[in-house]
Amino acid sequence: MSIIADCHMHTSFSGDSEAPMEDMIERSIALGLKEITITEHMDYDFIYTEDEEDGFFEVDTDAYRAKYLECHEKYADRIRVNFGIELGMQMHINEKNSAYAKSFPFDFIIGSSHLCNKKDPYLPSFWEGRDEKEGWHEYFESIKDIVSSYDDFDTYGHLDYVLRYGPTRNKNFNLDEFRDDIDKILKTLIEKGKGIEANTSGYHYEMGGPHPCAGILKRYRELGGEILTIGSDAHKPEAVAAGFEDVRDLLFECGFERYCIFHERKPEFHRL
Ligand SMILES: [Zn+2]
Ligand SMILES: [Zn+2]
């Protein structure tokens, strides 16, 4: 067996991708995938830099849906294409996100923290004047608050995304120092029947593994978590399903035997 679906990818409807939807789908077919889920960015109240216009990460969902339906039909005999969204989470927009999540017939919603307390870990200003551990702590605390107060999502995306952009990246990250926050996040997700994703872009960003790291994935499983999705977070065709062989081995080591693909917001389980 191999992993038959890539459940996190972007196309030109996302501000940071120029890939035509057809190109992403055709690459997925060429790789032998049976299914993909497109998950464009919807990040309300993003902090934009000079290069980006306001709304850069807010997908035109009607246009996206129309193109999705066209492609879904066009490729139906070769691959199943699912309609998803990557919803940017912030506490102060919970209500707005909730209304949005209910307003389209999504197959799958990834909740992702790209920002933290109205700040962007991608920017140096997030890290300036403090120990990087403080930045990590602030990020995990914010996810802890969000998962306990918000329900309209299926899996939490790249849970340790913050490590990608800190001064030393993940070199000095010791999971034990964040055990309380991580355990609380994972237990809340499990209690609510929510999943996490293994986001293989971590390999591309030289994290030495997926987002989140093996320690967090293993802990989710140890605590009884079963809902796991796998996605490349590809923004161009070459990145579709990148790292899937590596992550499959890693997930076995972390105790997983199954992963999920969501249809109409419900998980379908597959053997790894
Ligand atoms: Zn993301
Ligand atoms: Zn993404």
Side-chain angles (χ1 to χ4, degrees), residues 142-203:
S142 80
I143 293 183
K144 192 172 74 175
D145 292 342
I146 288 163
V147 296
S148 57
S149 63
Y150 183 86
D151 289 324
D152 291 305
F153 68 102
D154 301 310
T155 66
Y156 219 89
H158 47 58
L159 255 176
D160 64 2
Y161 169 88
V162 72
L163 300 179
R164 191 190 287 178
Y165 298 116
T168 68
R169 316 185 77 174
N170 61 348
K171 279 194 189 64
N172 302 314
F173 180 68
N174 177 358
L175 182 55
D176 286 333
E177 294 174 45
F178 299 86
R179 185 68 71 185
D180 289 350
D181 281 347
I182 298 289
D183 272 13
K184 182 75 174 83
I185 291 168
L186 298 177
K187 283 176 186 169
T188 305
L189 289 171
I190 292 164
E191 274 164 23
K192 290 187 167 194
K194 306 294 184 190
I196 59 172
E197 75 160 353
N199 182 310
T200 59
S201 73
Y203 292 99

Short mmCIF file of all heavy atoms in Angstrom, two decimals, residues 142-203:
data_model
loop_
_atom_site.label_atom_id
_atom_site.label_comp_id
_atom_site.label_asym_id
_atom_site.label_seq_id
_atom_site.Cartn_x
_atom_site.Cartn_y
_atom_site.Cartn_z
N SER A 142 -1.71 30.01 22.04
CA SER A 142 -2.81 30.55 21.23
C SER A 142 -3.60 29.40 20.59
O SER A 142 -4.83 29.46 20.50
CB SER A 142 -2.29 31.54 20.19
OG SER A 142 -1.74 30.89 19.07
N ILE A 143 -2.91 28.35 20.19
CA ILE A 143 -3.65 27.20 19.62
C ILE A 143 -4.48 26.52 20.71
O ILE A 143 -5.62 26.11 20.47
CB ILE A 143 -2.67 26.19 18.97
CG1 ILE A 143 -2.00 26.81 17.74
CG2 ILE A 143 -3.42 24.91 18.56
CD1 ILE A 143 -1.06 25.89 16.98
N LYS A 144 -3.92 26.45 21.91
CA LYS A 144 -4.66 25.86 23.03
C LYS A 144 -5.98 26.60 23.25
O LYS A 144 -7.04 25.99 23.40
CB LYS A 144 -3.78 25.94 24.29
CG LYS A 144 -4.28 25.14 25.45
CD LYS A 144 -3.26 25.13 26.58
CE LYS A 144 -3.23 26.46 27.30
NZ LYS A 144 -2.35 26.45 28.48
N ASP A 145 -5.93 27.92 23.22
CA ASP A 145 -7.15 28.73 23.39
C ASP A 145 -8.12 28.51 22.23
O ASP A 145 -9.34 28.42 22.43
CB ASP A 145 -6.80 30.22 23.48
CG ASP A 145 -6.03 30.54 24.75
OD1 ASP A 145 -6.06 29.73 25.69
OD2 ASP A 145 -5.38 31.61 24.78
N ILE A 146 -7.59 28.45 21.03
CA ILE A 146 -8.46 28.31 19.86
C ILE A 146 -9.17 26.95 19.87
O ILE A 146 -10.39 26.89 19.70
CB ILE A 146 -7.65 28.51 18.55
CG1 ILE A 146 -7.27 29.98 18.39
CG2 ILE A 146 -8.46 28.03 17.34
CD1 ILE A 146 -6.16 30.23 17.40
N VAL A 147 -8.43 25.88 20.09
CA VAL A 147 -9.09 24.57 20.00
C VAL A 147 -10.11 24.37 21.12
O VAL A 147 -11.06 23.60 20.96
CB VAL A 147 -8.10 23.37 19.95
CG1 VAL A 147 -7.24 23.43 18.69
CG2 VAL A 147 -7.24 23.28 21.18
N SER A 148 -9.94 25.08 22.23
CA SER A 148 -10.94 24.91 23.29
C SER A 148 -12.17 25.78 23.06
O SER A 148 -13.19 25.59 23.70
CB SER A 148 -10.33 25.15 24.67
OG SER A 148 -9.77 26.43 24.71
N SER A 149 -12.08 26.73 22.11
CA SER A 149 -13.21 27.64 21.93
C SER A 149 -13.83 27.59 20.54
O SER A 149 -14.79 28.29 20.26
CB SER A 149 -12.75 29.08 22.21
OG SER A 149 -11.75 29.46 21.28
N TYR A 150 -13.28 26.78 19.65
CA TYR A 150 -13.73 26.80 18.26
C TYR A 150 -13.88 25.36 17.73
O TYR A 150 -13.02 24.51 18.02
CB TYR A 150 -12.70 27.55 17.40
CG TYR A 150 -13.12 27.68 15.96
CD1 TYR A 150 -13.94 28.72 15.54
CD2 TYR A 150 -12.73 26.72 15.02
CE1 TYR A 150 -14.35 28.81 14.22
CE2 TYR A 150 -13.15 26.81 13.70
CZ TYR A 150 -13.95 27.85 13.30
OH TYR A 150 -14.36 27.94 12.00
N ASP A 151 -14.96 25.11 16.98
CA ASP A 151 -15.24 23.74 16.55
C ASP A 151 -15.34 23.51 15.04
O ASP A 151 -15.33 22.36 14.60
CB ASP A 151 -16.59 23.28 17.14
CG ASP A 151 -16.49 23.05 18.63
OD1 ASP A 151 -15.43 22.57 19.09
OD2 ASP A 151 -17.46 23.37 19.34
N ASP A 152 -15.46 24.55 14.25
CA ASP A 152 -15.75 24.36 12.83
C ASP A 152 -14.51 24.10 11.98
O ASP A 152 -14.13 24.91 11.13
CB ASP A 152 -16.54 25.56 12.30
CG ASP A 152 -17.93 25.61 12.89
OD1 ASP A 152 -18.66 24.61 12.78
OD2 ASP A 152 -18.28 26.64 13.51
N PHE A 153 -13.88 22.98 12.28
CA PHE A 153 -12.74 22.52 11.49
C PHE A 153 -12.65 21.00 11.68
O PHE A 153 -13.33 20.44 12.54
CB PHE A 153 -11.44 23.20 11.93
CG PHE A 153 -10.97 22.80 13.31
CD1 PHE A 153 -9.94 21.87 13.45
CD2 PHE A 153 -11.57 23.30 14.45
CE1 PHE A 153 -9.51 21.48 14.72
CE2 PHE A 153 -11.15 22.91 15.72
CZ PHE A 153 -10.12 22.00 15.85
N ASP A 154 -11.82 20.34 10.88
CA ASP A 154 -11.71 18.88 10.97
C ASP A 154 -10.36 18.43 11.53
O ASP A 154 -10.31 17.56 12.39
CB ASP A 154 -11.94 18.25 9.58
CG ASP A 154 -13.31 18.62 9.04
OD1 ASP A 154 -14.30 18.44 9.78
OD2 ASP A 154 -13.39 19.12 7.91
N THR A 155 -9.28 19.00 11.00
CA THR A 155 -7.97 18.68 11.56
C THR A 155 -7.21 19.99 11.76
O THR A 155 -7.47 20.98 11.07
CB THR A 155 -7.10 17.76 10.66
OG1 THR A 155 -6.77 18.44 9.46
CG2 THR A 155 -7.79 16.47 10.32
N TYR A 156 -6.28 19.97 12.71
CA TYR A 156 -5.44 21.15 12.90
C TYR A 156 -4.19 20.99 12.04
O TYR A 156 -3.52 19.97 12.09
CB TYR A 156 -5.09 21.37 14.38
CG TYR A 156 -5.12 22.86 14.70
CD1 TYR A 156 -6.31 23.46 15.11
CD2 TYR A 156 -4.00 23.67 14.52
CE1 TYR A 156 -6.37 24.84 15.33
CE2 TYR A 156 -4.06 25.03 14.74
CZ TYR A 156 -5.24 25.62 15.15
OH TYR A 156 -5.31 26.98 15.36
N GLY A 157 -3.90 22.00 11.25
CA GLY A 157 -2.79 21.94 10.30
C GLY A 157 -1.44 22.21 10.96
O GLY A 157 -1.37 22.87 11.99
N HIS A 158 -0.41 21.68 10.38
CA HIS A 158 0.99 21.94 10.76
C HIS A 158 1.15 22.56 12.15
O HIS A 158 1.59 23.71 12.29
CB HIS A 158 1.69 22.79 9.70
CG HIS A 158 0.95 24.02 9.21
ND1 HIS A 158 0.53 25.04 10.04
CD2 HIS A 158 0.57 24.39 7.96
CE1 HIS A 158 -0.05 25.99 9.33
NE2 HIS A 158 -0.05 25.62 8.06
N LEU A 159 0.87 21.75 13.17
CA LEU A 159 0.77 22.24 14.56
C LEU A 159 2.02 22.96 15.07
O LEU A 159 1.92 23.81 15.96
CB LEU A 159 0.49 21.05 15.49
CG LEU A 159 -0.93 20.90 16.03
CD1 LEU A 159 -1.03 19.63 16.86
CD2 LEU A 159 -1.34 22.10 16.86
N ASP A 160 3.19 22.64 14.56
CA ASP A 160 4.40 23.33 15.05
C ASP A 160 5.01 24.23 13.97
O ASP A 160 6.22 24.44 13.92
CB ASP A 160 5.43 22.34 15.59
CG ASP A 160 5.97 21.39 14.52
OD1 ASP A 160 5.59 21.51 13.34
OD2 ASP A 160 6.80 20.52 14.89
N TYR A 161 4.13 24.79 13.16
CA TYR A 161 4.53 25.72 12.08
C TYR A 161 5.48 26.82 12.59
O TYR A 161 6.38 27.25 11.87
CB TYR A 161 3.24 26.30 11.52
CG TYR A 161 3.32 27.47 10.58
CD1 TYR A 161 3.48 27.29 9.21
CD2 TYR A 161 3.19 28.78 11.06
CE1 TYR A 161 3.51 28.38 8.34
CE2 TYR A 161 3.21 29.87 10.21
CZ TYR A 161 3.37 29.67 8.84
OH TYR A 161 3.40 30.74 7.98
N VAL A 162 5.26 27.24 13.82
CA VAL A 162 6.07 28.34 14.39
C VAL A 162 7.57 28.03 14.37
O VAL A 162 8.40 28.94 14.27
CB VAL A 162 5.60 28.66 15.83
CG1 VAL A 162 6.00 27.56 16.82
CG2 VAL A 162 6.08 30.01 16.30
N LEU A 163 7.92 26.74 14.43
CA LEU A 163 9.34 26.36 14.48
C LEU A 163 10.06 26.68 13.17
O LEU A 163 11.27 26.85 13.14
CB LEU A 163 9.49 24.87 14.78
CG LEU A 163 8.90 24.36 16.09
CD1 LEU A 163 9.12 22.87 16.22
CD2 LEU A 163 9.51 25.09 17.28
N ARG A 164 9.29 26.77 12.10
CA ARG A 164 9.89 26.97 10.78
C ARG A 164 10.61 28.31 10.68
O ARG A 164 11.57 28.45 9.94
CB ARG A 164 8.77 26.88 9.74
CG ARG A 164 9.26 26.81 8.31
CD ARG A 164 8.10 26.97 7.34
NE ARG A 164 7.24 25.81 7.25
CZ ARG A 164 6.14 25.77 6.48
NH1 ARG A 164 5.80 26.82 5.77
NH2 ARG A 164 5.40 24.69 6.45
N TYR A 165 10.13 29.31 11.39
CA TYR A 165 10.62 30.67 11.14
C TYR A 165 11.41 31.30 12.28
O TYR A 165 11.83 32.44 12.17
CB TYR A 165 9.43 31.57 10.77
CG TYR A 165 8.75 31.11 9.50
CD1 TYR A 165 7.43 30.66 9.51
CD2 TYR A 165 9.45 31.10 8.29
CE1 TYR A 165 6.83 30.23 8.34
CE2 TYR A 165 8.84 30.67 7.12
CZ TYR A 165 7.53 30.23 7.15
OH TYR A 165 6.92 29.80 6.01
N GLY A 166 11.62 30.57 13.38
CA GLY A 166 12.39 31.14 14.49
C GLY A 166 13.88 31.23 14.16
O GLY A 166 14.34 30.67 13.16
N PRO A 167 14.64 31.94 15.00
CA PRO A 167 16.07 32.18 14.73
C PRO A 167 16.89 30.90 14.54
O PRO A 167 17.78 30.88 13.70
CB PRO A 167 16.54 32.94 15.97
CG PRO A 167 15.32 33.46 16.62
CD PRO A 167 14.17 32.60 16.22
N THR A 168 16.60 29.85 15.29
CA THR A 168 17.37 28.61 15.13
C THR A 168 16.47 27.49 14.61
O THR A 168 16.81 26.31 14.74
CB THR A 168 18.02 28.16 16.46
OG1 THR A 168 16.98 27.75 17.36
CG2 THR A 168 18.84 29.27 17.08
N ARG A 169 15.31 27.86 14.07
CA ARG A 169 14.34 26.89 13.58
C ARG A 169 14.07 25.86 14.67
O ARG A 169 13.82 26.25 15.80
CB ARG A 169 14.84 26.27 12.28
CG ARG A 169 15.39 27.38 11.38
CD ARG A 169 15.78 26.89 10.07
NE ARG A 169 14.60 26.68 9.25
CZ ARG A 169 14.66 26.35 7.99
NH1 ARG A 169 15.83 26.13 7.43
NH2 ARG A 169 13.58 26.21 7.28
N ASN A 170 14.12 24.57 14.36
CA ASN A 170 13.74 23.58 15.39
C ASN A 170 14.94 22.97 16.12
O ASN A 170 14.80 22.00 16.85
CB ASN A 170 12.88 22.47 14.77
CG ASN A 170 13.62 21.70 13.69
OD1 ASN A 170 14.69 22.13 13.24
ND2 ASN A 170 13.06 20.59 13.26
N LYS A 171 16.12 23.54 15.91
CA LYS A 171 17.34 22.93 16.46
C LYS A 171 17.30 22.75 17.97
O LYS A 171 17.75 21.74 18.50
CB LYS A 171 18.56 23.78 16.09
CG LYS A 171 19.06 23.53 14.69
CD LYS A 171 20.45 24.12 14.47
CE LYS A 171 20.83 24.04 13.01
NZ LYS A 171 19.92 24.88 12.15
N ASN A 172 16.78 23.75 18.67
CA ASN A 172 16.80 23.70 20.14
C ASN A 172 15.43 23.36 20.72
O ASN A 172 15.20 23.55 21.91
CB ASN A 172 17.27 25.05 20.69
CG ASN A 172 18.65 25.40 20.17
OD1 ASN A 172 19.55 24.55 20.16
ND2 ASN A 172 18.82 26.62 19.68
N PHE A 173 14.54 22.90 19.89
CA PHE A 173 13.19 22.63 20.38
C PHE A 173 13.16 21.32 21.17
O PHE A 173 13.53 20.26 20.66
CB PHE A 173 12.19 22.56 19.23
CG PHE A 173 10.78 22.28 19.67
CD1 PHE A 173 10.08 23.22 20.39
CD2 PHE A 173 10.17 21.06 19.38
CE1 PHE A 173 8.77 22.97 20.82
CE2 PHE A 173 8.87 20.80 19.79
CZ PHE A 173 8.17 21.76 20.51
N ASN A 174 12.73 21.43 22.41
CA ASN A 174 12.61 20.24 23.26
C ASN A 174 11.15 20.11 23.67
O ASN A 174 10.63 20.92 24.45
CB ASN A 174 13.51 20.44 24.50
CG ASN A 174 13.39 19.27 25.46
OD1 ASN A 174 12.62 18.34 25.24
ND2 ASN A 174 14.16 19.33 26.54
N LEU A 175 10.52 19.10 23.12
CA LEU A 175 9.07 18.92 23.33
C LEU A 175 8.71 18.87 24.81
O LEU A 175 7.65 19.36 25.22
CB LEU A 175 8.63 17.64 22.60
CG LEU A 175 7.15 17.28 22.65
CD1 LEU A 175 6.28 18.40 22.14
CD2 LEU A 175 6.90 16.02 21.82
N ASP A 176 9.58 18.29 25.63
CA ASP A 176 9.27 18.16 27.07
C ASP A 176 8.99 19.51 27.73
O ASP A 176 8.21 19.60 28.66
CB ASP A 176 10.43 17.47 27.80
CG ASP A 176 10.45 15.98 27.48
OD1 ASP A 176 9.36 15.43 27.18
OD2 ASP A 176 11.54 15.38 27.52
N GLU A 177 9.64 20.55 27.23
CA GLU A 177 9.43 21.88 27.82
C GLU A 177 8.05 22.46 27.48
O GLU A 177 7.63 23.45 28.07
CB GLU A 177 10.51 22.85 27.35
CG GLU A 177 11.91 22.48 27.84
CD GLU A 177 12.96 23.40 27.22
OE1 GLU A 177 12.76 24.63 27.18
OE2 GLU A 177 13.99 22.86 26.76
N PHE A 178 7.39 21.84 26.52
CA PHE A 178 6.07 22.35 26.08
C PHE A 178 4.98 21.31 26.27
O PHE A 178 3.90 21.41 25.72
CB PHE A 178 6.16 22.81 24.61
CG PHE A 178 7.15 23.92 24.42
CD1 PHE A 178 8.49 23.63 24.21
CD2 PHE A 178 6.76 25.24 24.53
CE1 PHE A 178 9.43 24.64 24.08
CE2 PHE A 178 7.69 26.26 24.40
CZ PHE A 178 9.02 25.97 24.17
N ARG A 179 5.33 20.30 27.04
CA ARG A 179 4.47 19.12 27.22
C ARG A 179 3.06 19.51 27.68
O ARG A 179 2.08 18.98 27.17
CB ARG A 179 5.14 18.16 28.21
CG ARG A 179 4.45 16.84 28.42
CD ARG A 179 4.51 15.94 27.22
NE ARG A 179 5.83 15.39 26.95
CZ ARG A 179 6.10 14.65 25.87
NH1 ARG A 179 5.16 14.40 24.97
NH2 ARG A 179 7.30 14.18 25.67
N ASP A 180 2.96 20.43 28.65
CA ASP A 180 1.64 20.77 29.20
C ASP A 180 0.72 21.35 28.11
O ASP A 180 -0.43 20.94 27.97
CB ASP A 180 1.76 21.78 30.34
CG ASP A 180 2.37 21.14 31.59
OD1 ASP A 180 2.51 19.90 31.60
OD2 ASP A 180 2.71 21.88 32.52
N ASP A 181 1.27 22.32 27.38
CA ASP A 181 0.46 22.95 26.33
C ASP A 181 0.12 21.95 25.21
O ASP A 181 -1.03 21.89 24.77
CB ASP A 181 1.21 24.13 25.69
CG ASP A 181 1.15 25.37 26.55
OD1 ASP A 181 0.33 25.39 27.49
OD2 ASP A 181 1.91 26.32 26.28
N ILE A 182 1.11 21.20 24.79
CA ILE A 182 0.87 20.26 23.69
C ILE A 182 -0.14 19.19 24.12
O ILE A 182 -1.07 18.86 23.36
CB ILE A 182 2.20 19.59 23.24
CG1 ILE A 182 3.19 20.63 22.71
CG2 ILE A 182 1.94 18.50 22.19
CD1 ILE A 182 2.86 21.26 21.39
N ASP A 183 0.02 18.67 25.32
CA ASP A 183 -0.94 17.66 25.80
C ASP A 183 -2.36 18.22 25.86
O ASP A 183 -3.31 17.55 25.49
CB ASP A 183 -0.53 17.13 27.18
CG ASP A 183 0.43 15.95 27.07
OD1 ASP A 183 0.95 15.71 25.96
OD2 ASP A 183 0.65 15.26 28.09
N LYS A 184 -2.46 19.45 26.33
CA LYS A 184 -3.79 20.06 26.42
C LYS A 184 -4.40 20.22 25.02
O LYS A 184 -5.58 19.93 24.81
CB LYS A 184 -3.68 21.42 27.13
CG LYS A 184 -5.00 22.13 27.33
CD LYS A 184 -5.81 21.50 28.45
CE LYS A 184 -7.07 22.26 28.79
NZ LYS A 184 -8.22 22.00 27.95
N ILE A 185 -3.60 20.67 24.09
CA ILE A 185 -4.09 20.82 22.70
C ILE A 185 -4.55 19.47 22.17
O ILE A 185 -5.68 19.32 21.65
CB ILE A 185 -2.98 21.38 21.77
CG1 ILE A 185 -2.65 22.83 22.12
CG2 ILE A 185 -3.39 21.28 20.31
CD1 ILE A 185 -1.38 23.37 21.45
N LEU A 186 -3.71 18.46 22.32
CA LEU A 186 -4.01 17.15 21.73
C LEU A 186 -5.22 16.50 22.41
O LEU A 186 -6.09 15.93 21.74
CB LEU A 186 -2.79 16.24 21.81
CG LEU A 186 -1.54 16.72 21.04
CD1 LEU A 186 -0.38 15.77 21.25
CD2 LEU A 186 -1.84 16.89 19.54
N LYS A 187 -5.29 16.62 23.74
CA LYS A 187 -6.44 16.04 24.45
C LYS A 187 -7.74 16.72 24.06
O LYS A 187 -8.77 16.08 23.90
CB LYS A 187 -6.23 16.15 25.97
CG LYS A 187 -5.24 15.13 26.50
CD LYS A 187 -5.00 15.33 27.99
CE LYS A 187 -3.91 14.40 28.49
NZ LYS A 187 -3.47 14.74 29.86
N THR A 188 -7.69 18.04 23.89
CA THR A 188 -8.90 18.77 23.48
C THR A 188 -9.32 18.33 22.08
O THR A 188 -10.51 18.08 21.83
CB THR A 188 -8.64 20.30 23.49
OG1 THR A 188 -8.18 20.66 24.79
CG2 THR A 188 -9.90 21.07 23.17
N LEU A 189 -8.36 18.20 21.18
CA LEU A 189 -8.69 17.75 19.82
C LEU A 189 -9.34 16.37 19.86
O LEU A 189 -10.36 16.13 19.20
CB LEU A 189 -7.42 17.72 18.95
CG LEU A 189 -6.82 19.08 18.56
CD1 LEU A 189 -5.46 18.89 17.90
CD2 LEU A 189 -7.75 19.86 17.63
N ILE A 190 -8.76 15.48 20.64
CA ILE A 190 -9.29 14.11 20.71
C ILE A 190 -10.70 14.10 21.31
O ILE A 190 -11.60 13.47 20.77
CB ILE A 190 -8.31 13.21 21.52
CG1 ILE A 190 -7.01 13.04 20.74
CG2 ILE A 190 -8.96 11.86 21.83
CD1 ILE A 190 -5.84 12.51 21.56
N GLU A 191 -10.88 14.85 22.40
CA GLU A 191 -12.22 14.92 23.03
C GLU A 191 -13.26 15.43 22.05
O GLU A 191 -14.41 15.02 22.07
CB GLU A 191 -12.19 15.90 24.21
CG GLU A 191 -11.74 15.30 25.52
CD GLU A 191 -11.35 16.40 26.52
OE1 GLU A 191 -11.83 17.55 26.39
OE2 GLU A 191 -10.53 16.09 27.41
N LYS A 192 -12.86 16.37 21.21
CA LYS A 192 -13.81 16.97 20.26
C LYS A 192 -13.94 16.17 18.97
O LYS A 192 -14.65 16.58 18.06
CB LYS A 192 -13.36 18.40 19.92
CG LYS A 192 -13.52 19.38 21.07
CD LYS A 192 -13.21 20.79 20.58
CE LYS A 192 -13.68 21.80 21.62
NZ LYS A 192 -13.71 23.17 21.08
N GLY A 193 -13.21 15.07 18.87
CA GLY A 193 -13.28 14.27 17.65
C GLY A 193 -12.58 14.93 16.47
O GLY A 193 -12.94 14.70 15.31
N LYS A 194 -11.58 15.75 16.79
CA LYS A 194 -10.83 16.44 15.72
C LYS A 194 -9.47 15.76 15.51
O LYS A 194 -8.95 15.08 16.40
CB LYS A 194 -10.58 17.90 16.10
CG LYS A 194 -11.82 18.68 16.48
CD LYS A 194 -12.77 18.86 15.32
CE LYS A 194 -13.96 19.73 15.73
NZ LYS A 194 -15.01 19.71 14.69
N GLY A 195 -8.91 16.00 14.34
CA GLY A 195 -7.65 15.36 14.00
C GLY A 195 -6.49 16.34 13.92
O GLY A 195 -6.63 17.54 14.19
N ILE A 196 -5.35 15.78 13.59
CA ILE A 196 -4.19 16.61 13.24
C ILE A 196 -3.71 16.14 11.86
O ILE A 196 -4.11 15.08 11.38
CB ILE A 196 -3.04 16.53 14.26
CG1 ILE A 196 -2.53 15.10 14.43
CG2 ILE A 196 -3.47 17.10 15.60
CD1 ILE A 196 -1.26 15.02 15.29
N GLU A 197 -2.86 16.93 11.27
CA GLU A 197 -2.31 16.49 9.99
C GLU A 197 -0.81 16.28 10.11
O GLU A 197 -0.13 16.91 10.94
CB GLU A 197 -2.60 17.51 8.87
CG GLU A 197 -1.74 18.74 8.93
CD GLU A 197 -1.67 19.50 7.61
OE1 GLU A 197 -2.18 19.03 6.57
OE2 GLU A 197 -1.10 20.60 7.62
N ALA A 198 -0.32 15.38 9.28
CA ALA A 198 1.12 15.26 9.06
C ALA A 198 1.39 16.01 7.76
O ALA A 198 0.98 15.58 6.68
CB ALA A 198 1.52 13.79 8.91
N ASN A 199 2.01 17.18 7.91
CA ASN A 199 2.21 18.08 6.78
C ASN A 199 3.66 17.93 6.31
O ASN A 199 4.60 18.33 7.00
CB ASN A 199 1.91 19.51 7.27
CG ASN A 199 2.03 20.56 6.20
OD1 ASN A 199 3.03 20.62 5.49
ND2 ASN A 199 1.03 21.40 6.07
N THR A 200 3.82 17.33 5.14
CA THR A 200 5.17 16.95 4.71
C THR A 200 6.00 18.11 4.18
O THR A 200 7.15 17.92 3.79
CB THR A 200 5.13 15.83 3.65
OG1 THR A 200 4.37 16.28 2.52
CG2 THR A 200 4.51 14.56 4.20
N SER A 201 5.45 19.32 4.19
CA SER A 201 6.27 20.47 3.79
C SER A 201 7.44 20.66 4.74
O SER A 201 8.42 21.32 4.41
CB SER A 201 5.44 21.75 3.73
OG SER A 201 5.13 22.20 5.03
N GLY A 202 7.35 20.09 5.93
CA GLY A 202 8.47 20.16 6.88
C GLY A 202 9.77 19.62 6.29
O GLY A 202 10.85 20.13 6.58
N TYR A 203 9.66 18.60 5.46
CA TYR A 203 10.86 18.05 4.82
C TYR A 203 11.47 19.10 3.89
O TYR A 203 12.68 19.32 3.88
CB TYR A 203 10.53 16.78 4.02
CG TYR A 203 10.14 15.59 4.87
CD1 TYR A 203 8.81 15.25 5.06
CD2 TYR A 203 11.12 14.81 5.48
CE1 TYR A 203 8.45 14.15 5.83
CE2 TYR A 203 10.78 13.71 6.25
CZ TYR A 203 9.44 13.38 6.43
OH TYR A 203 9.10 12.30 7.20
#
